[in-house]
């Protein structure tokens, strides 16, 4: 168990002193073809599990962490905007690494690499599934076998999302700070929807539109949710260029993110969940932007056979009949080459 602090600042998770993560609502891609980056449609709200001891299951209290509401088959991506200093971030989907396809270990590894490097990695939209591509994160219930966890391990017992951040050791961190001071670049403006906050040459903000009393019901069994995959998009997962020895052996902080259906979110928190995202065909017909990002200085991390073999959720839930309207060339935007601290989030045994 990591001893470092995790806090919710607005709708952002702050892991230790550096890494910041937001869960971004977005349009779900078709499960065939390869597409550009879909837009950000606002942030998922986050709440601490420990603030609702009477309405969450006992096992959630044991794991600690945070929760967010998500609709069946809703897509999301992770934004690392606001990350102030380098961090090696592990992203687990049902305790399966979204980068390597290996089971969650809680330790950094290089062969295969089981983490993304912040702030170099501006966002992560899905599992590392092919050359220069990822398959989109899509929410599905446990028990069907459609999650990444179910397909990789043959079991669906963890669900949710797991995050763990490792800082640089003191000497490499001091070198990085000196290099940053030498650049004499003013800090970028904070963004709610994309980009990354600590590196010069950061991509433009990725987003388009903002997101549009405690429940008295007793704690009860909650439908368990996890992440499967949807459509493929052009996105690189960058290879780490530092020696593995530059990173701390122990994590700065970790957190378990529970995924909650909208009805359960209302029962647990007393708050309404955000509505389903706008229809993607209507979004595209309205001329709203899609995105493309390329970093010529970065090296794409090859996908493992394990993640390359993960099938989309449509194989379990049926075809996606929502019409696909491809964006025009002019709609695809090329992305070029701190608030008051919240309360700490309690970690648990997972």
């Amino acid at each position: 168990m990591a001893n470092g602090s995790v806090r919710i600042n607005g709708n952002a998770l702050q892991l230790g002193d550096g890494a910041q993560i937001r869960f971004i609502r977005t349009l779900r891609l078709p499960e065939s073809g390869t597409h550009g980056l879909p837009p950000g449609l606002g942030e998922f709200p986050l709440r601490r599990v420990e603030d609702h001891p009477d309405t969450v299951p006992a096992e959630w209290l044991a794991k600690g962490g945070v929760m967010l509401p998500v609709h069946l088959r809703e897509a999301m991506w992770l934004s690392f905007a606001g990350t102030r200093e380098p961090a090696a971030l592990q992203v687990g989907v049902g305790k399966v690494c979204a980068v390597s396809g290996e089971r969650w270990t809680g330790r950094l590894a290089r062969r295969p690499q089981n983490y993304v490097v912040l702030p170099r990695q501006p966002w992560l939209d899905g599992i590392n599934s092919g050359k220069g591509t990822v398959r989109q994160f899509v929410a599905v219930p446990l028990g069907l076998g459609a999650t990444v966890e179910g397909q990789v391990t043959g079991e669906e017992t963890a669900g949710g999302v797991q995050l763990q951040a490792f800082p640089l050791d003191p000497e490499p961190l001091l070198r990085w700070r000196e290099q940053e001071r030498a650049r004499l670049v003013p800090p970028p403006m904070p963004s709610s929807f994309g980009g990354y906050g600590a590196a010069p040459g950061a991509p433009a903000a990725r987003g388009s539109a903002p997101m549009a009393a405690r429940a008295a019901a007793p704690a009860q069994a909650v439908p368990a949710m996890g992440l499967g995959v949807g459509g493929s998009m052009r996105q690189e997962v960058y290879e780490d260029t530092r020696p593995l020895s530059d990173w701390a052996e122990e994590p700065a902080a970790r957190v378990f993110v529970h995924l909650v259906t909208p009805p359960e979110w209302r029962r647990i928190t007393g708050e309404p969940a955000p509505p389903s995202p706008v229809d993607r065909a209507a979004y595209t017909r309205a001329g709203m932007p899609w995105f493309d990002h390329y970093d010529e200085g970065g090296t794409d991390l090859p996908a493992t056979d394990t993640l390359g073999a993960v099938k989309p959720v449509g194989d379990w839930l049926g075809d996606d009949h929502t019409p696909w309207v491809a964006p025009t060339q002019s709609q695809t935007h090329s992305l070029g080459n701190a608030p008051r601290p919240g309360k700490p989030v309690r970690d648990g045994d997972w």
Side-chain angles (χ1 to χ4, degrees):
M1 182 186 302
N3 294 321
S5 66
V6 176
R7 294 178 182 272
I8 299 177
N9 294 328
N11 289 324
L13 277 175
Q14 186 76 40
L15 271 62
D17 294 329
Q20 190 169 106
I21 302 99
R22 292 176 174 87
F23 292 83
I24 308 297
R25 311 183 75 219
T26 190
L27 302 176
R28 192 175 69 250
L29 296 174
E31 294 179 357
S32 60
T34 301
H35 307 276
L37 302 179
L41 297 176
E43 301 166 355
F44 285 93
L46 296 173
R47 299 291 181 269
R48 300 192 312 166
V49 167
E50 63 206 85
D51 288 338
H52 303 276
D54 299 326
T55 50
V56 299
E59 58 266 30
W60 288 24
L61 289 173
K63 291 178 179 178
V66 300
M67 56 188 174
L68 65 82
V70 62
H71 293 260
L72 173 66
R73 215 166 177 173
E74 184 172 3
M76 68 172 62
W77 52 277
L78 277 59
S79 169
F80 308 130
T83 295
R84 296 189 295 268
E85 294 187 330
L89 180 71
Q90 292 182 314
V91 180
V93 286
K95 298 183 75 171
V96 172
C97 177
V99 177
S100 69
E102 302 284 328
R103 293 197 185 214
W104 183 269
T105 64
R107 291 289 180 268
L108 298 182
R110 186 59 64 83
R111 296 185 180 177
Q113 183 176 312
N114 66 353
Y115 57 94
V116 293
V117 181
L118 311 186
R120 183 58 182 275
Q121 190 78 37
W123 41 65
L124 186 67
D125 287 60
I127 65 169
N128 185 25
S129 59
K131 185 177 181 180
T133 65
V134 302
R135 293 206 76 124
Q136 190 175 40
F137 291 133
V138 175
V140 287
L142 303 190
L144 301 176
T147 61
V148 176
E149 175 187 4
Q151 294 187 58
V152 171
T153 71
E155 301 176 331
E156 292 182 315
T157 58
V161 178
Q162 299 76 41
L163 301 170
Q164 183 163 254
F166 292 76
L168 285 173
D169 275 335
E171 185 175 337
L173 179 59
L174 179 61
R175 290 198 303 268
W176 180 86
R177 287 172 174 170
E178 291 173 347
Q179 291 168 357
E180 289 301 293
R181 282 195 294 268
R183 295 178 190 270
L184 298 178
V185 175
M189 295 297 291
S191 166
S192 294
F193 299 115
Y196 47 91
R206 174 182 163 200
S208 62
M211 184 178 64
R214 172 79 169 267
Q220 60 186 49
V222 174
M225 298 280 284
L227 291 180
V229 301
S232 178
M233 73 185 74
R234 293 180 292 275
Q235 182 177 108
E236 293 180 323
V237 178
Y238 295 120
E239 185 177 353
D240 189 7
T241 58
R242 292 184 177 90
L244 190 61
S245 58
D246 277 6
W247 298 106
E249 292 188 3
E250 296 296 325
R254 71 172 197 169
V255 65
F256 196 108
V257 183
H258 304 265
L259 306 181
V260 187
T261 64
E264 289 301 318
W265 177 264
R266 179 183 285 275
R267 185 190 64 80
I268 290 170
T269 68
E271 307 170 20
S276 295
V278 66
D279 173 75
R280 67 192 183 207
Y283 179 95
T284 302
R285 283 195 299 266
M288 303 298 284
W290 292 72
F291 301 91
D292 192 18
H293 176 243
Y294 176 69
D295 186 342
E296 62 183 10
T299 301
D300 182 48
L301 193 67
T304 61
D305 292 341
T306 301
L307 292 182
V310 172
K311 298 177 181 179
V313 300
D315 285 17
W316 286 264
L317 300 178
D319 292 337
D320 182 359
H321 296 294
T322 304
W324 166 242
V325 178
T328 64
Q329 186 174 357
S330 63
Q331 284 179 263
T332 303
H333 294 229
S334 178
L335 299 175
N337 193 21
R340 183 178 179 181
K343 296 179 181 178
V345 175
R346 187 184 65 83
D347 188 22
D349 184 9
W350 46 271

